[in-house]
Amino acid sequence: MNNKITILLNWYHKQAYSFPWRNHYTPYTTWISEIMLQQSQVNVVIPYYILWMKKFPCLADLLQSNIDDLLFLWQGLGYYNRVKNIFQTAHIIQDQYNGSLPNDYNQLLALKGIGDYTASAILAIGFNIKSTPIDGNIKRVISRLYELDLSSIKVAEIKKYTSNYISDTEPRYSVQALMDLGREICTPKTPKCTTCPLSAMCLSYKNQTTSIFPIRVKSKIIPTY
């Protein structure tokens, strides 16, 4: 394990931001939490996640429900296609994978409602398999660490840079550490660089370019006719 990963993991285990989906790791709990978090803020999701796990602690319990039960439980969280996809995917998992989420990226990607980020997060966090989910927080951290213009490179390239900070043996915690770092320390405005565990290896901190990176893509001007 390289030094930068060790520093990141030590920071993660010391600061220990607590969320209910970190109390017990399974592919199922990771899947549900990541779908809920897709278009909702963490603090909004927490009570929904807790209630969901009380009613449907595992896939077998979820399969005993119907879509109306799930929609009622989801009420207020919005973007209801997410829960419809959960319902359909749960039955696909039962029929095609004997009731267990597959630990294969391409098989996960073929399931409804699961894209590149969610498939990678399920592998890394749920299965503890080295994988590289790229969300907004991780993008920002990596952009500043390497002074990368993310608008000019593909996600696959961002993943290569990110993998330098993901442990082979503890990918679950490495990924969550990067997420926490982006959410709590490496924020879009006024990042807390002096408390960042990776400041010594951060090009943006060294060159005082944290206000520049990540480079913001200018919105196209809407023409007036």
Side-chain angles (χ1 to χ4, degrees):
M1 189 184 299
N2 65 44
N3 187 50
K4 61 183 71 171
I5 293 174
T6 301
I7 291 170
L8 184 64
L9 287 174
N10 286 342
W11 173 81
Y12 175 79
H13 290 303
K14 284 177 183 176
Q15 53 83 17
Y17 292 104
S18 178
F19 301 112
W21 43 86
R22 292 183 180 177
N23 295 335
H24 178 58
Y25 292 105
T26 69
Y28 168 75
T29 57
T30 301
W31 169 45
I32 298 300
S33 65
E34 289 299 337
I35 297 297
M36 286 185 168
L37 288 163
Q38 274 178 1
Q39 292 162 299
S40 302
Q41 294 182 341
V42 170
N43 290 337
V44 174
V45 167
I46 288 173
Y48 284 91
Y49 176 83
I50 291 171
L51 183 58
W52 183 286
M53 286 304 159
K54 281 182 180 178
K55 289 185 175 293
F56 313 118
C58 65
L59 188 71
D61 296 306
L62 176 57
L63 289 166
Q64 298 301 313
S65 68
N66 58 60
I67 188 61
D68 290 331
D69 293 335
L70 302 189
L71 286 168
F72 181 77
L73 201 65
W74 203 270
Q75 209 166 31
L77 197 54
Y79 298 97
Y80 290 93
N81 276 339
R82 291 184 292 174
V83 72
K84 292 174 183 177
N85 288 335
I86 287 175
F87 184 72
Q88 291 181 45
T89 294
H91 286 275
I92 294 170
I93 293 167
Q94 177 66 19
D95 295 340
Q96 296 184 15
Y97 301 106
N98 298 316
S100 297
L101 275 156
N103 63 353
D104 176 85
Y105 172 81
N106 290 319
Q107 290 177 336
L108 286 168
L109 207 58
L111 297 171
K112 286 187 71 66
I114 295 181
D116 169 72
Y117 167 76
T118 307
S120 300
I122 291 169
L123 290 174
I125 301 171
F127 285 103
N128 204 32
I129 294 171
K130 188 171 183 179
S131 187
T132 323
I134 303 295
D135 70 351
N137 288 319
I138 292 178
K139 273 185 180 180
R140 187 166 54 257
V141 171
I142 298 303
S143 175
R144 284 174 173 160
L145 282 170
Y146 293 99
E147 285 192 332
L148 290 178
D149 179 0
L150 300 183
S151 65
S152 63
I153 63 175
K154 295 180 179 179
V155 172
E157 192 69 18
I158 301 171
K159 287 190 175 195
K160 287 181 182 179
Y161 285 99
T162 306
S163 67
N164 294 327
Y165 287 87
I166 297 179
S167 163
D168 292 330
T169 56
E170 295 184 85
R172 168 180 295 152
Y173 300 126
S174 300
V175 165
Q176 292 181 123
L178 288 171
M179 291 175 177
D180 285 359
L181 197 65
R183 189 185 62 254
E184 304 293 337
I185 305 294
C186 194
T187 52
K189 296 179 181 179
T190 60
K192 307 176 183 70
C193 296
T194 55
T195 61
C196 177
L198 302 181
S199 59
M201 52 203 80
C202 178
L203 289 179
S204 281
Y205 178 64
K206 177 184 176 182
N207 298 325
Q208 298 184 339
T209 58
T210 54
S211 62
I212 299 173
F213 291 92
I215 294 172
R216 291 158 183 78
V217 179
K218 290 183 179 180
S219 301
K220 292 182 179 179
I221 298 173
I222 300 172
T224 303
Y225 297 100

